[in-house]
Amino acid sequence: MAIKRIFSITALWYLAIAFAISLVVPIIFAELDFSDVQKIGFVLFGINVVYAILSGLIVGIKKEPAIYLLFFPIIYLLGVKLFFESYAYYFSLVYVVITYLAYGITRE
């Protein structure tokens, strides 16, 4: 039963949104010619943190498998080399912690 839930249409939606947040949003900010400080502030500390919190809450409320929470940090790690400096790798750990803390809040 759990394997069917991991390979479902819901998992594809989580993957698609994680792909959009971790790869498409930095492309948009790069094309709009934002400075590095603005990209770091808006993308790494703003959009990604909000997405990490929301995804943890949504997965916890809907009682989905917790493996869905790893999609975003993994895709982020794959794309970080394209848009950010090497220190940005550490943000994936922050996103995992934030996501699982939000997930834990909703679990009873």
Side-chain angles (χ1 to χ4, degrees), residues 11-99:
L12 289 175
W13 275 108
Y14 282 111
L15 276 171
I17 294 171
F19 180 79
I21 296 293
S22 36
L23 296 178
V24 175
V25 169
I27 290 172
I28 292 170
F29 276 83
E31 289 300 317
L32 292 176
D33 202 29
F34 279 75
S35 70
D36 288 340
V37 174
Q38 290 172 326
K39 283 191 276 188
I40 291 168
F42 287 126
V43 177
L44 296 180
F45 290 114
I47 296 170
N48 288 356
V49 170
V50 169
Y51 175 71
I53 292 169
L54 288 176
S55 65
L57 292 173
I58 290 170
V59 169
I61 290 169
K62 291 186 174 185
K63 298 189 183 348
E64 300 286 346
I67 194 78
Y68 292 168
L69 300 176
L70 293 177
F71 292 164
F72 172 64
I74 290 171
I75 294 172
Y76 170 79
L77 276 176
L78 296 175
V80 74
K81 193 167 195 154
L82 300 173
F83 305 105
F84 300 107
E85 301 295 326
S86 63
Y87 61 84
Y89 288 110
Y90 299 112
F91 281 97
S92 64
L93 296 173
V94 173
Y95 299 147
V96 168
V97 169
I98 290 171
T99 304

